[in-house]
Amino acid sequence: MSNGMDDRRRGLEEEYFHRKNKEAIEKLRAKLKVSEEAKAAGTSSMKCPRCDGTLHESKFEEVLIDTCDKCGGVWLDSGELEQLTAQEQEAPGWLSRYWFSEG
Ligand SMILES: [Zn+2]
């Protein structure tokens, strides 16, 4: 009796996690599609989240960053900021100078 209940509950949990996984995978796929399209279009054709400028990939201190050609904003993927802050700890100063240089 109770076994049947457990099975049904487990089934619901599996369905829930399966759905959550699917959502996460679809989000990841959408993100990959955007970056693949950007690569296909050239260096980078991503739009700036702040203005309607275009983001251009550039290398800064061995870390790939996206810089806006219009407002000068700098955008980082997760992990890139950690790379930069790790370097900031080794050589303090340059990151905060760069960070606030756009006024
Ligand atoms: Zn911008």
Side-chain angles (χ1 to χ4, degrees):
M1 280 288 252
S2 62
N3 239 353
M5 284 294 282
D6 281 353
D7 282 351
R8 198 186 301 165
R9 213 188 66 169
R10 197 173 299 144
L12 285 173
E13 278 173 9
E14 272 171 16
E15 196 193 312
Y16 174 80
F17 285 113
H18 179 74
R19 202 159 53 219
K20 281 279 154 201
N21 278 342
K22 221 179 133 192
E23 278 171 22
I25 287 165
E26 273 165 14
K27 271 183 200 163
L28 195 68
R29 278 205 189 120
K31 206 182 158 188
L32 284 171
K33 198 170 166 249
V34 167
S35 61
E36 269 167 23
E37 278 170 1
K39 261 184 219 162
T43 47
S44 174
S45 64
M46 277 171 66
K47 286 278 171 216
C48 176
R50 195 195 284 165
C51 68
D52 60 353
T54 306
L55 298 180
H56 294 278
E57 277 189 343
S58 55
K59 218 168 185 194
F60 182 75
E61 302 281 329
E62 299 304 310
V63 180
L64 211 57
I65 57 172
D66 293 313
T67 316
C68 176
D69 61 0
K70 204 166 181 182
C71 70
V74 176
W75 308 100
L76 301 159
D77 289 336
S78 66
E80 290 177 345
L81 181 63
E82 279 147 42
Q83 283 182 59
L84 283 171
T85 49
Q87 286 175 42
E88 169 75 1
Q89 276 161 19
E90 283 168 30
W94 69 262
L95 178 61
S96 35
R97 277 202 307 275
Y98 188 76
W99 207 251
F100 298 111
S101 64
E102 56 173 296

